[in-house]
């Protein structure tokens, strides 16, 4: 049987939204917000070449395995489980959470207030705020062992979230940079509309269309948990798997509130589709 998506009758964007909805993700819940993939790895070129495979992120691997060195470190973490770690997993943080969603959208209300309330009433330290697409990619794909975040749908249709139109005082970084609009890759020419246009073209490109099913397997499919997830370097803390943690059977209120706090702070795996 050939499905509409395989026949290119619906866009990759629409198909991902459909899968997110099937998996219980919703714009109404920051803890289970729709999750979209990083699709590009090129945030430095003046022009974006969508015919070159090296322009793209490896969709067959989770964010924690985008470089060999990083992948090796996470495998080592999985194998080196000691008593101080509560569970055997590759990642103790998640690719989608309320704070990740709010940090991406912090320049727009009501997400500004949401972000501040999650941060205890104020903006975060400027250096940790979302300020540059390139540096966020480098953090999530290479540099930061506690950052494996993916994207949200807005990266493919909403230029407004990239500008500080409300003139929020987001602080000043250690190098003296005042935070304002999000810094865009050179190929976007400092134009949020051009960034969204090219980013959406990348999502709908032949390369992504040919490889997107690999990422879907990781997030929504059979590589989500079990031996296939271990092999794919794609296992998360057990608390992230909502369907595996039956809160109704947990009698200790402290443990129950700890798990709920964990999920609300760090995110939740989508239901398997």
């Amino acid at each position: 049987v050939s499905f509409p998506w395989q026949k290119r009758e619906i866009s990759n964007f629409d198909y991902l939204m459909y899968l997110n909805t099937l998996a219980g993700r919703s714009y109404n819940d920051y803890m289970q917000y729709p999750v979209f993939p990083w699709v590009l790895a090129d945030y430095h070129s003046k022009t974006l070449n969508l015919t070159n495979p090296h322009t793209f992120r490896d969709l067959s691997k989770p964010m924690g395995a985008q470089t060999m060195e990083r992948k090796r470190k996470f495998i080592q973490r999985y194998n080196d489980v000691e008593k101080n770690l509560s569970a055997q997993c590759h990642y103790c943080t998640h690719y989608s959470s309320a704070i990740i969603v709010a940090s991406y959208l912090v320049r727009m209300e009501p997400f500004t207030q949401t972000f501040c309330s999650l941060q205890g009433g104020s903006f975060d330290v400027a250096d940790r705020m979302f300020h540059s697409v390139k540096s966020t990619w480098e953090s999530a794909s290479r540099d930061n062992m506690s950052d494996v975040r993916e994207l949200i749908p807005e990266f493919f249709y909403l230029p407004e979230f990239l500008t500080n139109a409300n003139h929020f005082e987001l602080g000043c970084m250690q190098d003296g940079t005042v935070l304002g609009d999000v810094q865009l890759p050179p190929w976007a020419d400092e134009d949020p509309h051009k960034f969204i246009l090219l980013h959406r073209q990348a999502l709908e490109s032949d390369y992504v269309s040919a490889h997107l099913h690999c990422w879907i397997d990781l997030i929504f499919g059979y590589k989500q948990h079990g031996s296939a997830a271990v092999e794919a370097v794609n296992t998360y803390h057990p608390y992230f798997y909502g369907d595996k943690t039956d809160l109704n059977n947990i009698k200790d209120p402290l443990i129950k509130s700890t798990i709920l706090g964990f999920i609300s702070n760090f995110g939740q795996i989508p239901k398997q589709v």
Side-chain angles (χ1 to χ4, degrees):
V1 179
S2 181
F3 296 102
W5 177 63
Q6 291 173 311
K7 291 191 281 188
R8 307 286 288 268
E9 289 173 2
I10 62 170
S11 66
N12 291 336
F13 182 91
D14 287 341
Y15 187 56
L16 287 170
M17 283 305 299
Y18 174 66
L19 289 173
N20 270 285
T21 304
L22 277 182
R25 313 296 283 191
S26 165
Y27 283 120
N28 298 323
D29 186 347
Y30 293 154
M31 289 185 279
Q32 298 196 70
Y33 207 77
V35 55
F36 268 57
W38 288 95
V39 292
L40 294 171
D42 181 355
Y43 298 96
H44 54 268
S45 299
K46 279 294 289 176
T47 55
L48 195 60
N49 182 358
L50 296 180
T51 61
N52 181 356
H54 295 296
T55 298
F56 297 92
R57 167 254 179 105
D58 186 341
L59 287 158
S60 70
K61 296 184 175 72
M63 289 303 290
Q66 290 295 309
T67 70
M68 280 306 297
E69 183 188 359
R70 188 164 148 104
K71 179 180 177 182
R72 185 177 48 76
K73 285 179 182 171
F74 280 121
I75 291 172
Q76 187 177 352
R77 174 193 280 176
Y78 183 89
N79 293 331
D80 288 354
V81 173
E82 294 170 4
K83 291 184 179 66
N84 62 340
L85 270 180
S86 57
Q88 187 174 37
C89 60
H90 294 109
Y91 314 117
C92 295
T93 54
H94 198 249
Y95 50 76
S96 174
S97 67
I99 195 69
I100 289 171
V101 172
S103 69
Y104 281 146
L105 300 174
V106 69
R107 290 162 178 80
M108 294 173 61
E109 289 289 15
F111 303 98
T112 314
Q113 295 303 315
T114 303
F115 182 84
C116 289
S117 65
L118 288 169
Q119 284 289 346
S122 61
F123 291 120
D124 199 359
V125 177
D127 287 82
R128 289 203 300 257
M129 296 277 285
F130 172 52
H131 66 277
S132 155
V133 178
K134 178 174 180 279
S135 66
T136 302
W137 160 255
E138 288 170 350
S139 171
S141 67
R142 189 186 72 199
D143 297 340
N144 186 346
M145 288 291 284
S146 62
D147 182 3
V148 291
R149 80 185 80 175
E150 292 278 8
L151 299 182
I152 54 175
E154 284 82 353
F155 273 85
F156 300 94
Y157 69 81
L158 190 72
E160 286 78 10
F161 88 96
L162 298 164
T163 62
N164 187 20
N166 293 314
H167 305 294
F168 291 120
E169 292 186 13
L170 301 170
C172 189
M173 293 169 64
Q174 285 183 337
D175 64 5
T177 306
V178 177
L179 258 58
D181 297 346
V182 175
Q183 293 169 13
L184 302 175
W187 45 259
D189 295 328
E190 298 182 17
D191 181 350
H193 289 85
K194 185 172 182 182
F195 172 83
I196 295 293
L197 177 71
L198 291 172
H199 204 215
R200 183 65 172 265
Q201 286 177 2
L203 178 65
E204 304 299 341
S205 67
D206 289 341
Y207 180 89
V208 171
S209 297
H211 296 87
L212 188 58
H213 66 280
C214 300
W215 183 83
I216 290 168
D217 286 340
L218 293 167
I219 307 298
F220 301 107
Y222 78 104
K223 291 184 180 177
Q224 208 188 60
H225 44 68
S227 58
V230 175
E231 203 174 313
V233 194
N234 193 42
T235 66
Y236 298 82
H237 193 285
Y239 289 170
F240 295 148
Y241 298 85
D243 56 341
K244 299 282 180 289
T245 309
D246 188 355
L247 291 171
N248 295 324
N249 288 335
I250 297 170
K251 300 292 181 259
D252 188 324
L254 185 62
I255 294 174
K256 186 180 278 194
S257 68
T258 300
I259 294 173
L260 283 169
F262 204 91
I263 293 167
S264 65
N265 284 320
F266 296 111
Q268 203 168 353
I269 302 282
K271 291 192 185 79
Q272 198 168 21
V273 175

